[in-house]
Amino acid sequence: MTKDELIQEAFKAMKHTYSPYSHFPVGAAVLTSDGEVTYGANIENASYPAGICGERAALFAAYSKGYTRDDIVALAIVSNGKRIAAPCGVCRQVLYELLNSDTPIYLATPDEQKTVTMQEILPMAFGPEDLAE
Ligand code: THU
């Protein structure tokens, strides 16, 4: 599956957003090495912090199927905003642990695309290695 195809899958996932408060839909798609695509969308809640971002929803869904970081080939995150939505700080912390540092992350709007990696967008991260004895 190409980058453009995975981005299109993330736009499909975005249709399942539940974002009545922000009106800012986000879709995400995780491609694993067996060719499977796992989807996520942002799901909000009247108790605002209880909601979840699209990329975390997709990654948690992939892990819930039994995939782990070495199975993940790429992650696409899309929105309809005026500019590319980069993962929020909480998502960066989660992605740092659940993705390999060089796994491509495709960020896109209908008009723009950018590829980043966790090593680029969360340098000097706190992670599991810091808790090792
Ligand atoms: N959101 C995401 O799902 N991913 C991002 O990378 C940025 C923000 C969601 C959270 C909330 O539902 C809405 O977008 C507005 O912040």
Side-chain angles (χ1 to χ4, degrees):
M1 175 171 280
T2 66
K3 174 176 80 164
D4 285 346
E5 286 168 341
L6 189 63
I7 288 170
Q8 284 318 308
E9 293 303 300
F11 276 111
K12 285 185 202 165
M14 193 172 75
K15 294 184 184 141
H16 301 299
T17 184
Y18 176 73
S19 44
Y21 306 107
S22 73
H23 306 286
F24 189 82
V26 176
V30 176
L31 176 65
T32 38
S33 49
D34 58 1
E36 183 155 332
V37 177
T38 302
Y39 301 91
N42 57 326
I43 308 295
E44 300 181 346
N45 190 272
S47 173
Y48 295 172
I52 188 167
C53 293
E55 55 269 61
R56 260 182 299 147
L59 271 176
F60 289 170
Y63 268 71
S64 299
K65 289 178 178 175
Y67 297 116
T68 61
R69 52 196 282 159
D70 289 336
D71 302 310
I72 297 174
V73 174
L75 166 66
I77 308 168
V78 305
S79 66
N80 277 330
K82 286 198 201 90
R83 58 173 203 174
I84 279 171
C88 77
V90 171
C91 283
R92 290 181 200 210
Q93 181 67 33
V94 170
L95 268 53
Y96 175 78
E97 188 157 341
L98 300 188
L99 289 180
N100 283 326
S101 59
D102 59 350
T103 299
I105 303 169
Y106 307 137
L107 306 175
T109 67
D111 301 322
E112 208 183 335
Q113 292 182 5
K114 186 177 176 64
T115 303
V116 297
T117 62
M118 281 319 298
Q119 65 201 2
E120 289 167 356
I121 67 169
L122 191 60
M124 217 178 147
F126 181 84
E129 59 278 12
D130 292 298
L131 299 177
E133 288 178 21

